[in-house]
Amino acid sequence: MARSSLLRADETLFRDPAAFEFTFVPEHLHHRDAQVRELAFLIRPALRGGSAGSAVLRGPPGTGKTTTVRRVFREVTETTRGIVPVYVNCRHDHTTLAVYRCIFEQITGYPAPPTGWHLDAVKQRIAARLHDDGARLLVCLDDANYLIPAGTYNILLYQIFRLYEKWDVAKPGVFAICSDLALNLYAEADERVRSVFHPLEISFPPYTIGEIRDILTDRVRQGLYPGVMPAALLDRIAEIAAGEQDVRVGIDLVRLACLRAETDGRRRVTAGDVTEAARAVGSPVLAVQAAGLSVGERALLRRIAERSQEGADMASGAVFEEVQDYLPVGRTTYHERLKRLAEAGFVDLVPGVGRGRERKVRLRYDPAEVAAVCTGAEEPRIDRQPGPARNPGVRVRSVSRGRNPPHLSKD
Ligand SMILES: Nc1ncnc2c1ncn2[C@@H]1O[C@H](COP(=O)(O)OP(=O)(O)O)[C@@H](O)[C@H]1O
Ligand SMILES: [Mg+2]
């Protein structure tokens, strides 16, 4: 009897659901050979008893920065015990103590020391461990831009680089990742830090549609059973993700489309599933954008979304009056936040007719979706002053595209 096209209740389309989580580190890293080579180049001296170099990894969200570092770190761990790679997510850990606790945990393999511990004691244990093992420290500060509003960026970099002086260990290498293209991490470093921090800039350009397709094809192979995702639909998904310049949109679309098929008890994804998923996936993209706003900006955006839903007057003055009940801020701050929401692409400020130069606030997305992501995004961020643009002090090596797989060999 031919296999039914209907799925039994106990069957699933997902061979490995974890393959669709954003933290998933794929077996094969596509189209990032050049960046991996740059990182390997910086790490190699540490394999020969020298110090690792440092880097600033720059590129918009969803360009594989985190995944690339994680892949390289995994290879380092498998290759040598002489280098200890430590990964810090600065979105979550941005105080000095939190960062050191994170380093401590990964170096010693023990749970982080109790909060009562003095910072110096934590640092000392870290250095002692490195010294005893004769190991070199390699720290990835992922989303390091979060350290700047937290006021810990310079102090952390300085202290990490200077660990070796006081405790007689090798100079650590630091890979600082930044998704905020308006920010230059090297320029944010103060004089003292610049005297020890000479990062190589490694850029991560958005993936092309073909590259996205390769990544998605591989992910489908790992995460779904054969025959579930028709090639033509995967093409369409790659196209949408390329339009958003974010491979994560593609990964999420595949997952959502499959979930729909599975819920309907079908063995194969249809064009309708992809369309429906695309409608819903607007939110994850919005959520990522909303997480990049400050708390105040997001609160304003939420009120704007709620007012749009209620069909209330959207003249910017009327919005200002009303938000006073929720967000008691001055007119200048209000206008700054509004301007920032417009720059971030959430709203348009449409010049109104008649009443002077008053503008109307028009939401670019579905109000219900915007309100939902504003409520959902709980990552707080402090308002940031716009930083200086590129700094000529950064060494920029052009990243060439190549086919060769990365090597961390000692020769
Ligand atoms: N080159 C790649 N090969 C395979 N998967 C990738 C690649 N680049 C990104 N991904 C996947 O895309 C998602 C986002 O990548 P991520 O490294 O988090 O981007 P970024 O840190 O630049 O925002 C992850 O799920 C990751 O597995
Ligand atoms: Mg990342």
Side-chain angles (χ1 to χ4, degrees):
M1 200 177 76
R3 194 172 68 140
S4 161
S5 65
L6 287 181
L7 209 58
R8 288 202 319 261
D10 61 341
E11 287 179 312
T12 173
L13 302 179
F14 294 93
R15 191 209 297 265
D16 179 9
F20 297 97
E21 280 162 23
F22 290 147
T23 49
F24 182 76
V25 179
E27 208 37 62
H28 187 76
L29 188 68
H30 295 269
H31 306 294
R32 285 301 182 225
D33 291 354
Q35 287 81 357
V36 170
R37 265 201 307 273
E38 296 284 342
L39 292 175
F41 164 83
L42 292 169
I43 295 170
R44 217 168 284 129
L47 289 170
R48 302 201 194 96
S51 295
S54 292
V56 167
L57 288 71
R58 242 165 107 93
T63 49
K65 299 178 298 297
T66 301
T67 310
T68 300
V69 171
R70 282 203 171 275
R71 274 302 285 130
V72 169
F73 275 13
R74 189 193 286 176
E75 204 178 324
V76 169
T77 310
E78 286 164 4
T79 309
T80 176
R81 291 174 61 86
I83 303 176
V84 193
V86 167
Y87 173 86
V88 182
N89 180 342
C90 301
R91 262 178 204 258
H92 296 132
D93 297 316
H94 41 253
T95 65
T96 34
L97 187 59
V99 170
Y100 281 118
R101 282 163 61 86
C102 190
I103 296 175
F104 175 94
E105 214 171 82
Q106 290 177 61
I107 284 189
T108 62
Y110 298 124
T115 34
W117 272 33
H118 194 266
L119 191 61
D120 257 353
V122 183
K123 275 196 281 190
Q124 193 163 356
R125 295 287 172 103
I126 291 170
R129 184 58 178 248
L130 292 170
H131 187 263
D132 291 350
D133 295 353
R136 274 141 180 80
L137 179 64
L138 195 58
V139 183
C140 169
L141 298 174
D142 198 356
D143 290 318
N145 41 296
Y146 281 82
L147 298 176
I148 292 166
T152 49
Y153 177 69
N154 277 298
I155 182 89
L156 266 170
L157 276 181
Y158 188 74
Q159 288 182 351
I160 289 173
F161 280 118
R162 293 280 165 178
L163 262 186
Y164 70 103
E165 283 190 339
K166 199 161 158 197
W167 281 291
D168 188 29
V169 293
K171 185 175 163 185
V174 174
F175 296 162
I177 300 184
C178 181
S179 288
D180 184 345
L181 295 182
L183 196 71
N184 178 336
L185 284 181
Y186 183 75
E188 294 290 335
D190 64 24
E191 295 261 305
R192 285 187 330 151
V193 171
R194 281 192 215 174
S195 68
V196 276
F197 182 45
H198 310 288
L200 189 70
E201 184 167 301
I202 305 179
S203 61
F204 285 69
Y207 293 114
T208 63
I209 181 167
E211 290 170 341
I212 290 182
R213 184 150 203 310
D214 290 342
I215 292 170
L216 294 181
T217 303
D218 201 33
R219 203 55 67 92
V220 162
R221 197 162 38 222
Q222 289 177 73
L224 302 180
Y225 284 107
V228 170
M229 178 61 75
L233 294 182
L234 197 61
D235 281 342
R236 180 155 153 48
I237 290 176
E239 211 174 289
I240 298 171
E244 295 285 342
Q245 297 210 329
D246 193 336
V247 66
R248 291 175 300 182
V249 172
I251 293 171
D252 221 35
L253 275 177
V254 171
R255 183 181 65 85
L256 287 174
C258 283
L259 269 181
R260 290 190 64 83
E262 189 176 273
T263 309
D264 269 9
R266 285 177 277 109
R267 289 183 188 279
R268 214 172 152 78
V269 171
T270 63
D273 293 326
V274 174
T275 308
E276 280 302 311
R279 203 168 288 163
V281 97
S283 322
V285 180
L286 279 183
V288 170
Q289 286 171 352
L293 298 173
S294 72
V295 175
E297 289 156 3
R298 206 159 44 231
L300 175 60
L301 179 61
R302 183 170 161 198
R303 272 317 291 157
I304 290 173
E306 286 164 355
R307 278 180 73 87
S308 314
Q309 269 177 305
E310 293 155 9
D313 181 3
M314 294 309 290
S316 76
V319 175
F320 173 69
E321 304 276 299
E322 195 253 10
V323 297
Q324 286 307 296
D325 299 341
Y326 300 84
L327 321 157
V329 295
R331 204 172 275 276
T332 314
T333 307
Y334 165 73
H335 281 290
E336 273 167 9
R337 289 181 182 172
L338 201 55
K339 188 162 150 259
R340 184 71 187 103
L341 294 181
E343 284 165 0
F346 283 105
V347 299
D348 288 315
L349 301 177
V350 192
V353 279
R355 284 171 57 198
R357 52 192 190 86
E358 173 144 83
R359 294 171 300 173
K360 259 195 156 47
V361 184
R362 189 168 61 201
L363 210 54
R364 283 202 187 167
Y365 300 91
D366 179 54
E369 264 179 37
V370 175
V373 297
C374 289
T375 317
E378 84 305 34
E379 300 274 18
R381 214 185 85 165
I382 303 145
D383 276 292
R384 174 169 51 76
Q385 297 302 318
R390 295 178 71 88
N391 188 293
V394 172
R395 281 187 294 149
V396 180
R397 275 165 61 105
S398 64
V399 174
S400 58
R401 283 171 186 262
R403 300 267 90 216
N404 294 338
H407 277 301
L408 274 172
S409 60
K410 291 184 192 186
D411 34 51

